Amino acid sequence: MLTTEQDSQTLTADLTRGMTRARPLDGDRRQMALRLLVAAIATGMFFVLYRLSGWYRPAVQLDLGILRMLETHGNPALLSAVSVPSLMLSSAVVLLIGATRGRAMLGVRAFMILAACNVLGQVLKGFVLGRDAIATDQGNSFPSGHMIAFGSVALALWIVLPRAVRGAFAVVAFLVLAAAAFELVHYGWHRPSDVLGSLLLVTAVGAAVGAAGGAASGSRERGRTPSLRARRRGIPADDPTAGGR
């Protein structure tokens, strides 16, 4: 009788622990689904914007009208900060912050987002997408490589920074992104659609990589969770013969 009562208590405790573990996993699945949805929506909006701003006459005229209204000449210092060395330095800072916080894999994920955004942006701009150079004389300008650089660095830093400072950083990042977007149009480097398309691309890549990373983390977590059936039988969860008993 005592043994049966002990077994019942053990089973209840195991079920409670199992339910406790299940809640984070269910939350991870919801987050992954939400990120995939965001990635799909941002991707769709990216290509819709590309088509509208390149071929739909009212959208083309609006795009050009805003550009001509704001356009001036000069050499903006903020935009001049974007270069391959500056992106490499930003990548190193992202990895360093992640390693310093003991979150090296988080730093790697943020770096992957930063790199994927900039590489994909250049591939799309140079080899996939094509339309008349309306704003510049240097070929297709959609999406803006400069805006991709600013947006991807901001997102990568936000990912690796501690939660306590993310709010303040988000405000600073928003102001910098707004200033960069204004300068890109104001100095005639890009159309408004180029800038908006870049932000949509960063959003899509960030959400997709985040969903993939969450799925991988969930798989590892499920692999570490001991089998409830094995515990009930008194068999170690990693016993290779457990399935045959």
Side-chain angles (χ1 to χ4, degrees), residues 143-228:
S144 166
H146 282 75
M147 201 64 205
I148 291 175
F150 279 108
S152 60
V153 169
L155 178 59
L157 287 173
W158 185 85
I159 290 172
V160 296
L161 286 173
R163 293 183 182 274
V165 301
R166 281 182 178 177
F169 174 78
V171 174
V172 174
F174 174 80
L175 294 176
V176 172
L177 291 175
F182 177 78
E183 284 194 354
L184 283 168
V185 179
H186 184 55
Y187 288 98
W189 287 27
H190 285 281
R191 294 159 290 186
S193 61
D194 299 332
V195 175
L196 181 56
S198 301
L199 295 177
L200 288 172
L201 185 144
V202 171
T203 301
V205 172
V209 175
S217 299
S219 298
R220 289 194 298 270
E221 182 65 25
R222 286 189 294 271
R224 287 195 297 264
T225 302
S227 169
L228 178 59

Side-chain angles (χ1 to χ4, degrees), residues 72-113:
T72 186
H73 298 285
N75 186 26
L78 183 59
L79 301 183
S80 301
V82 176
S83 63
V84 173
S86 65
L87 284 175
M88 293 177 63
L89 177 61
S90 299
S91 300
V93 170
V94 167
L95 292 171
L96 180 61
I97 293 175
T100 302
R101 294 185 58 213
R103 304 289 301 277
M105 290 307 300
L106 186 66
V108 171
R109 189 184 306 174
F111 166 74
M112 289 174 59
I113 291 174

Side-chain angles (χ1 to χ4, degrees), residues 49 51-71 131 134-135 185 190-196:
L49 179 64
R51 294 292 299 181
L52 287 177
S53 61
W55 283 273
Y56 185 56
R57 187 171 182 81
V60 173
Q61 291 177 339
L62 177 62
D63 215 15
L64 280 175
I66 296 174
L67 173 67
R68 301 309 178 197
M69 180 176 63
L70 297 177
E71 187 178 10
R131 62 182 179 186
I134 300 175
V185 179
H190 285 281
R191 294 159 290 186
S193 61
D194 299 332
V195 175
L196 181 56

